[in-house]
Amino acid sequence: MHAKTNTAALTPLALKDAPALIETVFPAQKVSFEAQKERKANLGQTLTGLGSYWKGRKPLILVRAIVLGTLLPATDDAESDLAIFEKLMTFDDEGLARRALAANAFSATKLQELIAISDPERYFSGRGWRRDITTDDKLVLYRKALATMSSYEEKASISKRPEEVDQEWLYSPVWPEVNEHYRHFGVSAQSLPELVEQLGILRYGQRPRVGDTFSGGGSIPFEAARIGCDVYASDLNPVACMLTWGALNIIGASSERQAEIKASQATVAKAVDEEITQLDIEHDEHGNRAKSYLYCVEARCPETGWLVPLSPSWVISKGRNVIARLSPDHNAKRFHIEIVSGVSDEEAAIADQGTVQGGDMVYMLDGKTYRTPIKTLRGDYRNADGSTGNRLRRWEKSDFKPRPDDIFQERLYAIHWISKASINKSRQETWFAAPTDADWERERRAEAIVAENFNRWQNEGLVPDMAIESGYNTDQPIRERGWTHWHHLFNARQLLLISRYFQYRTPEDYVFNAKSLDWNSRIANWMNHWEKTNNVFYNQALNTFYNYGTRCFPSHEAGRSFGFANSPLPNIRSQIKCLDATTLEDEADIWITDPPYADAVNYHEITEFFIAWLRKSPPKPFNDWVWDSRRALTINGSGDDFRRGMVTSYKAMAEHMPDNGMQCVMFTHQDTSVWGDLIGIFWAAGLQVAAAWYIATETNAAIKKGSFVQGTVILMLKKRPAGERTGFKQRLLPAVRQEVIRQMESMLHLNDTVKANHGEPVFNDSDLQMAGYAAALKVLTAYTHIGGEDVTSFALRPRTRGEITVVDEMVQQAAETASNFLVPEGLTADTWAKLTGIERFILRMLDMETTGLSKLDNYQNFAKAFHVEDYAHVMGDMRPNHARLKRVSEYASRDLTDSTEIGPTRLGRLIIALQQLNKDTEPQAIVDQMRNEMTDFLEARPVLVDVLAFIEQKSHDLETRSAAEVLGARLKNLRFGQ
C-alpha cells in the first residue's frame, strides 16, 4: 500500500499531447541485460512460484520500463530525460551501487584490491566490516569500486535485480532529482506508485489504466499494478486468467493476507497427509516413507517373446551411482530389476545406455543383442489416404492402468525412501530400493482404492473425465500410448493423491493444485541428476516417456505451494475477464500485449491438461469463466484467420483507448513474413507506428536445438489521425528515406553526447537498425490507402508465395538506408559506401564480435539489413549463443568461388590473399596476382588497404592480423611504375 499522493497541484491533462519518452529514447541495451538477468534467475523469478509451465511470461523489468517510458514525457533535452529514466529504473551509478551493496557484491578484501583506502581501519575489522559501520559508509566505498568497472554489464552482473531490493531505500535518492526535472508539471512524488498516478493524471486525467487482452502468465498486469497502475487483464484461456489472478492476489497480496494463505495451505497439507497416512500406501512396515516411485514401460519382444522393461537409461541417481540392473528370469521370460547403489563409473556408463536407443528397443539376452524399432512394437502403418495409425488399443474412459493384453505394460521398479528419523528434517536420509512383496501389496491397495472410488471421484470433479481432443500437441499421447482421456496421463497413485488435494477448492488451492499437476504425471520424466521428476511442460509439449517418477506426499507438497514470493501491490483497482480479445468492452489508457503469432506455443491445446482437472466446480471468481480451451476462437498461426482475428482484436483495443493512448506490442520474431503480417495487422487496426526497439529477452536455456531467435521487438503504436490519406509508392519511398535519415542522425547525435559524458553509448547497432524500420513504418502507417488499395484489404488479402509487398519494400529500403550509417569504427565512410551487402555483413559482425557479442539473432538481423541471401556460408558457428563468423583459415576454396556471395567480392579476394600469405607465398607475388585478376585494381586499392587495416585491428587470430598488416603495407606503398 502507498500513501495517497497529493494531486491537488497537478493540472489534469497537462501532458495530454506530449510525446512519450519511449517514442524518442529508450536504453534498450541496459533493459536487455536486466531482462536476461531476470530470466537467468529461473525459479528465483517473482511469478514462477505459481507455476513455470507458462513459459511466455515477459520479464517484469521489461514491463516496468515500457510503462514508465510510455508515461514519462519527452522534453527538448533527450539526454536529461534518459538520465531521469535510468534513475527510475535504477540503471544509474547510484542505483547500481545500492543494488550491489544489497547483494554484498564485494568482500572487505576485494574492496581493498579495487580501490585505495587510506584509512581501512575506519571501515574494516579483521576480514569484515566493523560493527558500527553504516550503510552510507559502505555506499561510499561501493561507489568508488563500481567506478573502476568499465561496462554497465559488469556492474549489473554483480548486483541484485531492482525488484529484490527494499524499494524505499533503493529509490530514496531518486525523488529530489525526479521532482526537480518535472517541477513545471507539478510533480511531487516519493514512490513509484505516486509518480505513476501523477503522470497518469497529467496525461489521461486519472490514474493510468494498463490493459492486456492476451494476459498469459500475468507478468504485464502484475508489474503494471506493482508500480501503481490500475489494470485490466483478459485471456481466452481460463488457465491464463487463473495465473493472472494468482499473480495479483497471491504474489501481490499484503503480507498479512499472504500469511493467511500460507496457513490455509498448511492446513490442507496436514489434512491430506493424515488421510494418505491412514490409507497406509506410502509407509513401509518400519515407518520409513516413500518420496517417489519409479515406473517403466514394458513391451514384449516379437523375436524372443520376452517381456522387456523399457528405459533410455537405467541410472537412477548420477550423484550416488545408483542403477537398475536387469537380470533374466528364464522361467517367466522377463527380467528381474535389482537396484544397486555405489556402482563403478564404468558400470554406471553401461547402465546409462538403457533399453531404448535411437527409437529402438535394445536388450541383451544370453550374450546376444536384440533390436526392434518401437514403431514395430506399436504396429505403425500408413493408410491409403496417407494418414497413419497403429495397433495400440485406445484406452477407455474407465481405464487408469494398462490391461493385461495391451502392447505397452507398466511396472514399478524402484522406490525412493526417506528414513523415519529424518522425514520432518530439512536434511533427509534417503535411499533407493527395489519393491518388496509388502510394497507390491501397497501398490495393489492404492489401485483398489482408485478402482472403488473412481466413478464417484469423476462425478465430483476430483479427477478428470474429459476426453483428449485431437490436435498438434494432443495427438502425441493418443498416438504413442493409446491414451484417450486426460486422466490416462496419471497413474493410480497420482490420481489418489491429487484427488485428495482437489477436495479443497479455494482459488488459492486451484492455483497451487494446477502447479503441482505439472510435476506429478505419467509424462513427468525422472531426472537422475536431481533425483526427482522434471516438470511436464519443460518444453511445452506432451511428451510420453518410457520411465517416469511419481511424487508421493512429501515431494508433491514440496512442489505444490512451496516458496512463492511476496510483493504486495499498492492500492490499485484490477479486473480480470476470461474472454475473446475481439469482444473487448473495457477501456484502458495503455494497452501492452504479447500476442500469439506464427511460432507461438499451442497453449490452447496443452492447457487442456489442466482444464480437465479444474473445470468441474471451480470456486469464485473462477466460476464466472468458461473452463474450456475454446480452440475454435483462438488466434494462432499465420494464415488468413490469424490476420483477421488479430485485426479485430487490435482494432477493439484502439477503439477502447483515448485518442492520446498508446499501445505496446511485444513479439519474438522468427519468421520474417510474420513481421510483415503484424505490421499490416496494426495498420489495418487504425494504428500508426511511433517507435520500435529491440530487446534481448531470451537466454541460452532453451530446450530445442537449432537457430532459434533470442530477441523481442517492442513496437509502440498510436491511433492514426482521423480522416482519409492516400499515398503512392513512388512518393513514399523518398519520404521514408528522409525520415530514416532524420531518426538515425538524431540517435547518433545522442549516442555521441552520452558517450562523451558517460563512456557508454545509448544505442547499439540493433537499436539503430530497429529505429530505421520504425521510421519507415511511421511514414507508411500514417496513410489509409496506398496506391488506391485500402489498408484493411491489404492486411487481410491472402499472400502469394514470394510476393514482395509495399511493406516489405519500405522496410528493406529503411534497412539499407540505416545500414549506410552503421559504419564500423576503423573504416572510412567512403570505403563503407563501396562495399557489397555480404562484405558489410562480415565486417560489421567482425566488429561486433570484438565486443564479445555471440548471439545468433544479431547475425540474423544484420543479414536481413544488408540483404544477404545466405549468411550461413560465412558462419563458423551457428549455435544460438556461440555464433561467430568463419575465421580466414576456415574458408574452403569452394566458399570463395564466383558462385557464392562472398567469392567474387573484393573482400573474398582479400581472404584468398591472406590465406596465401599465411602459407608463405611471397607478398609481391600475391599483389601481382591480384593486379592481374582484378580489372578494377587501381580503383579498388584504397578500399583494399582500408579493409586490411580494419582486419588487422579486429581479427581474432594473430596470424591473420600479421598477414593483414604485411599485405596492407605492400598495397599502400605499391609503386605502379614497377
Side-chain angles (χ1 to χ4, degrees), residues 70-137:
T70 304
L71 289 171
L72 290 168
T75 71
D76 293 334
D77 188 346
E79 186 179 358
S80 295
D81 290 345
L82 177 66
I84 290 296
F85 182 76
E86 292 193 349
K87 288 179 185 298
L88 288 168
M89 295 298 298
T90 65
F91 294 171
D92 64 314
D93 288 341
E94 180 63 23
L96 287 168
R98 290 173 180 255
R99 289 164 54 189
L101 179 56
N104 293 314
F106 301 122
S107 65
T109 303
K110 185 64 176 178
L111 281 169
Q112 293 177 80
E113 290 175 0
L114 289 172
I115 56 177
I117 304 175
S118 59
D119 51 349
E121 64 280 354
R122 177 188 168 190
Y123 297 97
F124 309 114
S125 176
R127 296 185 177 180
W129 295 101
R130 282 177 42 166
R131 289 188 177 182
D132 60 345
I133 203 73
T134 67
T135 298
D136 287 341
D137 291 331

Side-chain angles (χ1 to χ4, degrees), residues 289-293 416-418 428 430 550-552 554-555:
R289 186 159 198 173
K291 186 176 183 179
S292 303
Y293 286 80
H416 192 189
W417 290 104
I418 309 170
Q428 295 175 331
T430 67
T550 289
R551 293 193 175 203
C552 301
S555 52

Side-chain angles (χ1 to χ4, degrees), residues 488-596:
H488 296 156
L489 277 62
F490 301 83
N491 72 12
R493 285 188 173 278
Q494 291 164 337
L495 292 170
L496 174 53
L497 176 62
I498 298 171
S499 72
R500 301 306 83 205
Y501 278 102
F502 268 85
Q503 296 174 98
Y504 305 92
R505 294 184 176 273
T506 67
E508 292 82 10
D509 290 325
Y510 254 50
V511 173
F512 293 128
N513 286 344
K515 175 188 173 184
S516 69
L517 294 171
D518 188 35
W519 295 90
N520 205 3
S521 146
R522 273 190 170 108
I523 59 173
N525 66 308
W526 179 253
M527 297 189 294
N528 54 24
H529 53 295
W530 291 114
E531 296 186 0
K532 63 181 182 181
T533 65
N534 199 359
N535 61 315
V536 169
F537 293 110
Y538 73 95
N539 70 342
Q540 306 305 316
L542 295 166
N543 304 293
T544 59
F545 295 100
Y546 296 101
N547 70 321
Y548 68 92
T550 289
R551 293 193 175 203
C552 301
F553 172 81
S555 52
H556 182 88
E557 176 59 29
R560 177 177 172 271
S561 57
F562 173 76
F564 52 97
N566 186 207
S567 186
L569 299 180
N571 187 23
I572 55 90
R573 292 181 291 272
S574 64
Q575 185 179 26
I576 302 171
K577 290 187 176 182
C578 184
L579 50 77
D580 178 2
T582 64
T583 62
L584 176 67
E585 296 178 347
D586 294 87
E587 304 288 324
D589 303 306
I590 303 166
W591 292 101
I592 304 176
T593 52
D594 177 16

